[in-house]
Amino acid sequence: MAEIVAAFGVPHAPAFPALVAREGPNCEVARLYAEVAKHVAAVAPDVLVVFDSDHFNTFFFDNLPTFLVGVTEATEGPNDQTPMPHYRVRGHAPLAGHLRGSGLARGFDLSLSQDFDVDHSIMVPLHFLTPQMNIPIVPIFINGLAPPLPGARRCYALGEMVRAAIKDWPERMRVAVLASGSFSLEIGGPKIPHGERAGTPDEAWARRVQQLMQQGKVNDLLEEATAVRMARAGNIGGELLNWIAMLGTIGERRPRFIEPQVDHGHSYGAWRWD
Amino acid sequence: MSVYAVNKLCRDALHDRGFREALKSDPAAAMAPLDLAEDERRALLQGDVAWLFEHGCHPFLLAYLTRWDLFGLTAPVYSERIRKARDPRDETAA
């Protein structure tokens, strides 16, 4: 039977690959991704389940899923002009299909795509964590950008469902879970700073989220992460839902490593119990 | 209501180089075939992103316009205008 062996959370700013190429392995962003990558390599998962919010690149308002499982043998990207290498990565269609079926059986009406590419929000994390693209992924997309968003408790329950479904998978398999996204970020909205096109409107919230995760206080996080609170943290603040779903797959564990970049409104984390 | 068409215009500006170039060289002509309301067309041509935001267009997509200074929207101009928009998030009770 399959088991979840670790979980990770990282941001995915599209500028980061170019920034690290420019500033080298000692810059803060490179160092923080490398710390998480070290934990990924140490647990050597067979599959990576990725909770992610697409940015209107893979899906658009003609058909916008709240929750969608990508059931495919392979995907590629980024598909959104992000200045970084273009990658192809394998999917794990049988496990993805199983997760979707388990969701439907347990009251989660999950949408399906068998043919899609992905944007920077998946490829930037993989670029830093698994640059050889040697670990197949199962992407689960959560609408974190176009309100109304799903609720925090619903996303946590989605993660709990994924945990149960993985336990039911008949083959031996080591699964890790990756959450992609920020806690406080405004792009193009009224809360951006003077002269900029993006900013971090709520550093206090980003710090609060990071501290609650550090302390394993999941219930407090679910209580505080209301739609209003997340929206005030920025129009991209709903990406926290990916982290919350990830926490649902592992419960109230404390991370082995978590470090914020508070002025960016995000954190880098690794949960392990080996 | 064609908020959809404005959002799609922004997205197509990113993904479709030909459309982007057309928007740069003659925005009114490039938008002529699109299913935009007249006030949306006016707001786009004036770079009135506050109005577009207040009428439901997604700011993440609107911000694409600054990448190529479409409709005169340099990043500073865009920032100055959108910061004056009415923000429903500040009006809801916590």
Side-chain angles (χ1 to χ4, degrees):
Chain A
M1 73 179 198
E3 59 172 336
I4 294 174
V5 296
F8 312 102
V10 292
H12 56 236
F16 282 174
L19 178 139
V20 167
R22 200 167 57 240
E23 297 191 359
N26 295 323
C27 71
E28 185 181 43
V29 168
R31 184 177 60 73
L32 289 166
Y33 275 118
E35 183 66 29
V36 177
K38 193 181 75 184
H39 292 289
V40 177
V43 297
D46 300 312
V47 178
L48 207 50
V49 171
V50 184
F51 288 108
D52 176 55
S53 297
D54 170 62
H55 296 50
F56 309 116
N57 293 302
T58 302
F59 308 104
F60 195 62
F61 290 106
D62 56 339
N63 193 349
L64 192 79
T66 297
F67 298 124
L68 180 143
V69 183
V71 183
T72 183
E73 295 297 335
T75 184
E76 59 185 281
N79 61 1
D80 59 348
Q81 329 291 326
T82 299
M84 65 176 287
H86 190 88
Y87 292 107
R88 185 173 171 82
V89 62
R90 280 179 299 141
H92 197 300
L95 181 65
H98 168 71
L99 294 185
R100 178 163 178 268
S102 298
L104 288 161
R106 294 168 203 247
F108 288 88
D109 302 330
L110 304 173
S111 296
L112 166 72
S113 179
Q114 296 181 331
D115 185 11
F116 58 94
D117 44 26
V118 298
D119 72 12
H120 69 277
S121 60
I122 285 185
M123 282 309 179
V124 169
L126 297 185
H127 168 80
F128 287 110
L129 301 181
T130 59
Q132 296 179 329
M133 299 291 152
N134 54 345
I135 302 176
I137 66 169
V138 173
I140 302 179
F141 294 96
I142 296 177
N143 171 24
L145 268 70
L149 310 180
R153 288 194 184 276
R154 183 64 171 161
C155 292
Y156 189 79
L158 176 71
E160 290 181 312
M161 182 282 292
V162 166
R163 171 168 49 174
I166 285 171
K167 210 171 156 191
D168 288 346
W169 181 248
E171 293 167 30
R172 278 182 66 87
M173 184 186 285
R174 295 164 56 77
V175 180
V177 181
L178 171 65
S180 175
S182 193
F183 308 152
S184 173
L185 178 62
E186 176 94 344
I187 298 179
K191 296 184 187 302
I192 58 176
H194 277 293
E196 306 288 337
R197 60 185 293 282
T200 308
D202 200 342
E203 292 185 6
W205 173 241
R207 192 185 294 280
R208 174 75 180 155
V209 169
Q210 185 265 335
Q211 286 170 347
L212 289 173
M213 288 184 184
Q214 179 136 39
Q215 297 161 6
K217 291 187 176 170
V218 170
N219 205 51
D220 289 358
L221 178 61
L222 297 180
E223 201 61 39
E224 293 178 28
T226 62
V228 169
R229 192 73 190 79
M230 284 190 287
R232 284 184 180 164
N235 54 20
I236 314 295
E239 288 179 346
L240 170 61
L241 295 170
N242 296 311
W243 289 66
I244 286 174
M246 174 271 284
L247 291 172
T249 69
I250 62 171
E252 294 191 322
R253 297 177 187 276
R254 292 176 184 216
R256 188 167 293 184
F257 163 80
I258 188 163
E259 190 167 325
Q261 277 186 302
V262 173
D263 56 338
H264 284 71
H266 58 224
S267 287
Y268 301 72
W271 283 254
R272 282 171 67 188
W273 44 93
D274 55 297
Chain B
M1 199 62 194
S2 52
V3 167
Y4 178 81
V6 179
N7 283 334
K8 187 156 189 311
L9 175 152
C10 298
R11 182 184 196 248
D12 288 348
L14 174 73
H15 289 272
D16 181 342
R17 182 187 295 259
F19 179 62
R20 184 194 313 158
E21 293 305 320
L23 276 179
K24 263 192 224 170
S25 56
D26 189 344
M31 292 196 295
L34 304 184
D35 183 25
L36 293 159
E38 278 318 303
D39 47 6
E40 290 172 331
R41 209 176 291 275
R42 173 201 55 77
L44 281 163
L45 287 170
Q46 293 174 356
D48 190 350
V49 286
W51 188 92
L52 291 165
F53 171 78
E54 287 167 358
H55 288 78
C57 302
H58 201 291
F60 179 89
L61 293 163
L62 289 174
Y64 281 155
L65 302 174
T66 65
R67 293 198 191 186
W68 308 280
D69 299 348
L70 297 173
F71 307 111
L73 292 165
T74 62
V77 166
Y78 181 99
S79 176
E80 184 192 348
R81 290 180 185 172
I82 201 79
R83 283 168 53 83
K84 289 181 184 148
R86 192 178 61 78
D87 189 344
R89 291 172 295 180
D90 297 331
E91 293 164 11
T92 46

